[in-house]
Structures are given as structure tokens and as C-alpha cells.
Amino acid sequence: MVAALLLTLVSAAPSATAEQPAPSGELQRAFAEAAAEYRVPQSVLLGVSYLQSRWDGHGGAPSVTGGYGPMHLTDARTALAGAPHHSHGSEDARGDAARAPRTSDATAVEDGGTLPARLRTLERAAQLTGISPERLRTSPAANVRGGAALLAAAQKRLGGQPSDDPADWYGAVARFSGADDSATAKTYADDVYDVIRSGQSRTTDSGQRVALPADAGLRPDTATADGLGLRTVDQGLTECPRSVACEWIPAPYKEFGAGDYGNHDKGNRPASQAVEYIVIHDTEATWDTTLQLVQNPEYVSWQYSLRSSDGHVAQHLRLKDVGWHAGNWYVNAKSVGLEHEGFLVSPDAWYTEAMYRSSARLVRYLAKRYDIPLDRQHIIGHDNVPGTLSSTIAGMHTDPGPYWDWAHYFNLLGRPLVPTAGPGASVVTIRPDYDDHRPVYTSCEKPGDTCPAHGSGAVRLHTAPDETAPLVRDAGLRPGGEDSTNGVNDTGARASTGQQYAVAERRGDWTAIWYLGQKAWFHNPRKEPTAVGARASVVAPREGLTEVPVYGRAYPEASAYPAGVPVQAVTPLPYKLSAGQEYVTGGRTPGEYYWATTFDSSHHTVVRGKEMYYEIQFGHRVAFVKAADVRVQRR
């Protein structure tokens, strides 16, 4: 356990002493010079750096695990300080009105343990190079030198010799990962060599153009990792693809008095219910804290946790069982939850490429296993899960937030978000350029304060085609009719990358979509579009209806409930889908309710009715409408 039970970054802002962006080409030269100085193949140095940071420097700001610069040299003690878990919501994680609320907020508890070596690599780099820790944190060139020195030291420790052949460095790369188990270390090295084989090139966040030519025939000497001396993880009951290093760290199913138990429900999915969603979360805590929380029977649960530094995966629940993670019982019962080590309100607390890749491989595996469409109505953020009732909307969590790179994630999923129709299409897919699109957000650190400028995959929605026009209103978040805000946790006027909406109108460089029952305008210039044309199925009120109710869960009709299972109310949210409006649908789904309120799972029952629903992209969050109320068209 590291310095405190609950940790986050001291500041989202880049360091005041961070070096100014260097002229284009200087970072590439820094890799070449460091590789020559420490006799590390340049392709290995570039490959490791790409997997850690995609060569970005983040202006000297640390990652979620206290890593700095292109090489992600870790100095967690400098980077980390206390903050509450999931401080951006107060939802009942179970989201089931049939039981007492179970919240996912935790209280900070100090623990003065020692930081593991993987969180102190910058200290070692300073010893090897003689460069000050401050310079290693703030100078990209110095940071690259530090990374090269660590790789060279790892090669020497494993008994290897300096070599110009990248194939000889597999073991050193595995050790550089900082993983404490051999499976994760080798998976990390496999990823680095995959980057080297395929090649990469991109412009970094400081405007530097960096390229790694492909070496398609490269076959690393994996035997060089045999001497790592790392532990073997307990794979136990894990359900993971072979391409992911996965460890079994079970969440407890335990009864602890007064009919209460935790921290999940036994199930029999998919025989009992189809798994239709994968929910992407961030942990709002460090790795060690996250594992402590999920092993607490009085807390809540999810299926998988992913570590930022190296992409390591821990599985906590069997996939057949139901976790308490999404704040909506209907979604919980039909989803798999993935928690990613990270902090929503720290925009420069960047996620590593290693974690993005590991997560994408896991999601591809789950999607194939359960036939889940790889789209943004089934691969959703926690911030896309609807409130169950009017009273729960305001407390719903907002992670992973506007700084999660959905476009890059879907590229890794093998489903890039490309146009499927022309620029005048009746449906659009939101897709701004993540790196260049930098809307202003507030309240990352203090209420009202402006967050550091950062790439974002979300567009802001106005009441008119004008940047000065008020933001659209969310009647659920603000029943009093107040305007939405630029707050980083305010989802009331936000459309996110990959989400699809029906076009309501176009005027010049502005596009209006149907959103929460109203026209919502976003800037969409032809030369730098923030959305692309798409084809999709949409729903609208059936003929004769002026409006239809919208729901946060798809529960069956009252007559479907057997004796002994209380009827769950089918309660509309404070929104309407009006005639003349259309919303993209994620498909037809049955009305179902999983009755699971006892520790003895033999009493659990899936109630399935005749009522059918359509899931729709109604606002930033998805919602449901009754199939009997709408007609479906292809646009």
C-alpha cells in the first residue's frame, strides 16, 4: 500500500518549470543521441516510449501513476496527494430501489507504506545519469536519456551485453515495465515489439514529429526474459484473452448481518440474461487503493481493474455474476464493468498506451464472447449510464469524462470511427480531433477555476449556432431550468466522440442535433469537422403521438412479475421525445428485471416480460423508450 489509501495528483497543471516546446525534430534527435550514448537500439527506445506516452511530454505534468515525460519515469511521491474516490457523484452503485443504497464513496485512510519500485524509476534514472530529478521531470530530452540509462542498466543486470540488434533487448524491455509478475512484464515487452514491427509516426503534444520505421521481420529473443525472477500470478478463475496478463483477485461474497451482504450478486449470465454492455470507468484511486476497495465486502464491485503503468489486469468477479458498479441495476445486470486507474478531474494525469491497449484487447474478447456490438451505445462510459429515476439523475457518476480518448480507443478496438455517409447525412457521429480540440472546462481543482488546456473528445452544445449562446439545459440535472455549465463533471450539454445523433438543422459551420428533447447546436466547420456523416437507425414517436416518455431502465410490465417478487415501477424520466424529433437507436431490448435481494442466490429470479424497448442516444447518456411508442427508420 502506498503513501495514502486514496490518492490523486497534486495538480493537473503542467509544471511551471517545464521546458518550452522544442523545434520540430529535436525530440527525434534526442532519441537518437540517447540511444547512441547508452548503446540501446533506437527502435527499442522509441518503442518503449510509445507504449508509455505515445512520445508526448504532457508539459511536465505526471501521469495517473506519477510518471513523467516521454519515457514515463515515475516519481509518485512528488506527484501524488490525497483525494476522495469518485468525488464527482453520489450515486447508489447498485441502482436498485428494492434495496438500501450502496455507495461507492470511500473515506481516506493514511498508510505510511513504502512506494514500490515501479513508482520510483525517476529516482533510479537520476542516479544513473547524474541528471537532477527536476530536470528529468521537465525536460523531454533529459527524460529520454534517463529512460535509455534504465534500459541499459536492465540489460546489464540480466547478463546481456550492449547490442545493436533489437531482438536482444526483450528481457530488458520486460524489466523496464516495472511489473512485479512475469506474465505482465512479458506482455508489456510483446506490445513494445509489436509497435516496433508495425512502426509508428505522429506529431506529439508539443508539435514534435517523431517516427519509428517498421521492422516487420523482427523476432525478439524471448529467452532473455527468463532471468527476471518475478512472481507468477494466480490466474485462478480469470476469464481473459491470452494476449492480456490477468490475475485473480476476487471480490468477497459475504453476509455480514441484517440481511445485508456484499459486494456483488451471484448470477448465471448469459443463460439467465444477455450481457449487452461494457462500461468504462476510472478508479479515482491508485492501484493499491482500488484493490483494497474491491476486496471490502461492505464496498461495491466490478469485473476488472486495469493498471495504468503496464496494463496489468485484475479480475474480481466471474463474468456470470453481477457487479455493483454502474448506478443502474438494469445496466449492472446486463454489463461488464472495467475500472481503469485514473482521475477524471486531472486532465494531464494521462493514461498510458499500455493500459489503453490492454483494455482494448480485453473489450474485444468480451465483445466477441457475448456478441456485443463495438459501438458507443454498447461500449459506454460510466458517464453514459442513465439515472434510474428523476431523483437519481444528479448523483450519477461522470467518469471517465471528457479526457478519455474514445477515438484512439476505437482504433485499438479495430472499429475506427470513420464516416459511413456523406457530409450532408441525416445522422452524424461525433468525432473531433482529440489532440487539437481543446474546449474550456472548469472546476478540475477548485469550483469555477479553469482547467488546464487539454485535448478532449467531447463537443459542447448550445441553444443557437453561436459560441456566446447559452448551453442547452438538462431538465434532469437541473429541474429549476438553469443552464448547463462548462464544469468538467457537467454532462448536461456534452456530446462525446463516437456517439451518434440525428441532425435537426444545419447553418453554415454549425450543426444542430436532437438532444434531450431539444435542438442542440455545435460548431462543425467543414475544414475542421467535429462530426462526420453516418448511417443509422433512428426512432421517432409513432403516428398519432405528439410525445412519448423516456426511461432510464427497461423494466417489464406489472403482469410479468411472479408471486413473491414485488413489481418494480416503470417510471419515466423528466424528458420527452416529441413528434418531429429523431434519436439514433442502439437496438431493441427486452423488458427485464433481476430480482436479487438475498444472500441465498437460489431465490434470485429474472423477470422477463412481453414489453420491448429501444435503447436510444438521448443526451450524453443513453435512455430507453417503449417499442410500442415509436417507429423505426433507417437514415
Side-chain angles (χ1 to χ4, degrees):
M1 181 60 195
V2 296
L5 178 62
L6 295 172
L7 302 171
T8 189
L9 300 179
V10 169
S11 172
S15 167
T17 57
E19 291 192 351
Q20 295 301 309
S24 184
E26 243 183 67
L27 185 57
Q28 184 91 51
R29 187 159 50 253
F31 279 108
E33 291 173 353
E37 179 179 1
Y38 289 97
R39 301 180 67 186
V40 179
Q42 188 176 168
S43 62
V44 170
L45 192 58
L46 283 162
V48 167
S49 178
Y50 186 88
L51 197 63
Q52 294 287 55
S53 68
R54 298 178 77 207
W55 305 320
D56 287 336
H58 295 272
S63 76
V64 298
T65 47
Y68 291 85
M71 297 302 298
H72 194 254
L73 303 182
T74 54
D75 183 7
R77 200 171 298 282
T78 298
L80 300 174
H85 179 79
H86 282 307
S87 58
H88 48 274
S90 58
E91 70 180 20
D92 166 18
R94 282 192 294 217
D96 182 9
R99 290 181 285 183
R102 178 61 64 86
T103 64
S104 56
D105 290 313
T107 302
V109 178
E110 294 298 324
D111 186 336
T114 302
L115 290 170
R118 66 182 175 84
L119 298 180
R120 296 183 288 111
T121 62
L122 190 139
E123 174 186 321
R124 176 64 174 150
Q127 295 169 352
L128 291 170
T129 62
I131 301 172
S132 71
E134 174 67 14
R135 187 160 175 77
L136 287 170
R137 287 192 293 266
T138 58
S139 166
N143 189 273
V144 170
R145 282 186 65 202
L150 288 173
L151 279 165
Q155 179 79 337
K156 182 178 180 180
R157 183 176 174 184
L158 290 170
Q161 298 297 319
S163 168
D164 294 332
D165 187 353
D168 297 335
W169 288 77
Y170 182 88
V173 170
R175 183 172 291 283
F176 186 95
S177 72
D180 64 351
D181 72 276
S182 57
T184 302
K186 291 177 181 179
T187 300
Y188 177 93
D190 288 340
D191 271 346
V192 169
Y193 279 87
D194 181 62
V195 169
I196 298 171
R197 278 191 293 268
S198 60
Q200 294 289 341
S201 64
R202 69 183 295 265
T203 300
T204 70
D205 58 359
S206 62
Q208 294 281 300
R209 190 67 185 170
V210 180
L212 169 59
D215 187 355
L218 177 61
R219 295 293 179 268
D221 181 2
T222 57
T224 59
D226 290 346
L228 289 173
L230 303 176
R231 70 184 177 100
T232 300
V233 300
D234 177 10
Q235 294 185 325
L237 300 175
T238 57
E239 298 155 287
C240 293
R242 293 171 60 184
S243 58
V244 168
C246 203
E247 181 174 12
W248 180 245
I249 302 178
Y253 192 67
K254 180 179 178 181
E255 192 169 24
F256 48 84
D260 204 359
Y261 63 94
N263 53 19
H264 58 282
D265 278 297
K266 296 295 183 181
N268 189 31
R269 307 182 307 177
S272 58
Q273 286 185 283
V275 177
E276 297 184 359
Y277 308 100
I278 298 171
V279 183
I280 305 299
H281 303 257
D282 74 44
T283 61
E284 296 300 310
T286 63
W287 179 254
D288 294 318
T289 294
T290 299
L291 297 188
Q292 287 203 6
L293 292 172
V294 79
Q295 292 177 90
N296 178 356
E298 298 188 49
Y299 195 59
V300 299
S301 62
W302 49 92
Q303 276 75 17
Y304 299 94
S305 297
L306 292 97
R307 191 163 65 199
S308 181
S309 60
D310 53 21
H312 179 65
V313 177
Q315 183 173 353
H316 312 298
L317 304 179
R318 297 297 306 276
L319 289 171
K320 67 179 182 178
D321 295 334
V322 177
W324 304 343
H325 61 93
N328 182 314
W329 184 242
Y330 178 82
V331 174
N332 278 339
K334 300 172 77 67
S335 71
V336 175
L338 277 63
E339 287 275 4
H340 299 76
E341 187 181 13
F343 303 93
L344 183 157
V345 296
S346 296
D348 278 308
W350 39 283
Y351 303 110
T352 65
E353 180 70 0
M355 185 169 70
Y356 270 126
R357 288 186 173 222
S358 188
S359 178
R361 287 197 295 269
L362 179 57
V363 168
R364 285 202 307 269
Y365 163 82
L366 295 169
K368 183 176 181 180
R369 176 169 176 159
Y370 294 113
D371 196 26
I372 300 172
L374 288 173
D375 61 41
R376 287 285 279 115
Q377 288 191 311
H378 297 89
I379 313 301
I380 59 178
H382 196 172
D383 56 347
N384 306 134
V385 176
T388 54
L389 303 165
S390 297
S391 59
T392 66
I393 293 172
M396 296 298 290
H397 282 188
T398 58
D399 58 299
Y403 304 121
W404 180 265
D405 192 346
W406 286 107
H408 181 55
Y409 195 55
F410 269 77
N411 283 340
L412 294 174
L413 288 174
R415 290 289 190 277
L417 301 171
V418 298
T420 55
S426 299
V427 172
V428 291
T429 301
I430 304 299
R431 200 197 66 179
D433 184 296
Y434 180 90
D435 292 327
D436 293 337
H437 182 65
R438 299 192 166 207
V440 173
Y441 291 104
T442 61
S443 305
C444 281
E445 293 185 72
K446 297 179 182 179
D449 282 3
T450 300
C451 301
H454 195 276
S456 171
V459 300
R460 192 155 287 133
L461 302 169
H462 297 263
T463 56
D466 188 331
E467 291 283 1
T468 64
L471 298 176
V472 296
R473 297 173 178 176
D474 185 327
L477 281 177
R478 294 180 174 82
E482 301 91 345
D483 294 337
S484 299
T485 72
N486 292 337
V488 71
N489 286 308
D490 189 341
T491 60
R494 185 184 299 171
S496 185
T497 290
Q499 293 180 327
Q500 294 185 321
Y501 299 90
V503 174
E505 189 178 347
R506 285 187 171 90
R507 293 188 203 171
D509 286 342
W510 288 78
T511 300
I513 54 176
W514 293 116
Y515 182 95
L516 296 177
Q518 59 201 302
K519 279 187 181 180
W521 293 88
F522 66 97
H523 194 225
N524 187 25
R526 290 182 177 84
K527 291 185 178 180
E528 296 181 12
T530 52
V532 296
R535 287 188 57 79
S537 295
V538 299
V539 302
R542 65 175 175 81
E543 190 172 349
L545 295 179
T546 57
E547 60 183 27
V548 300
V550 176
Y551 303 91
R553 51 195 180 184
Y555 278 176
E557 67 278 8
S559 60
Y561 288 80
V565 178
V567 173
Q568 302 300 304
V570 181
T571 308
L573 298 177
Y575 310 109
K576 299 292 183 182
L577 194 166
S578 299
Q581 299 180 7
E582 296 180 333
Y583 293 86
V584 172
T585 176
R588 191 175 168 100
T589 189
E592 291 182 343
Y593 174 65
Y594 184 37
W595 172 246
T597 64
T598 59
F599 182 69
D600 180 359
S601 59
S602 65
H603 298 296
H604 295 181
T605 303
V606 176
V607 181
R608 187 173 290 109
K610 296 180 180 180
E611 188 84 73
M612 298 295 292
Y613 292 80
Y614 281 100
E615 181 203 13
I616 60 172
Q617 188 66 63
F618 189 61
H620 183 71
R621 301 181 187 270
V622 299
F624 302 93
V625 290
K626 291 183 178 180
D629 289 340
V630 297
R631 53 186 172 82
V632 182
Q633 291 181 285
R634 186 70 178 168
R635 294 295 191 194

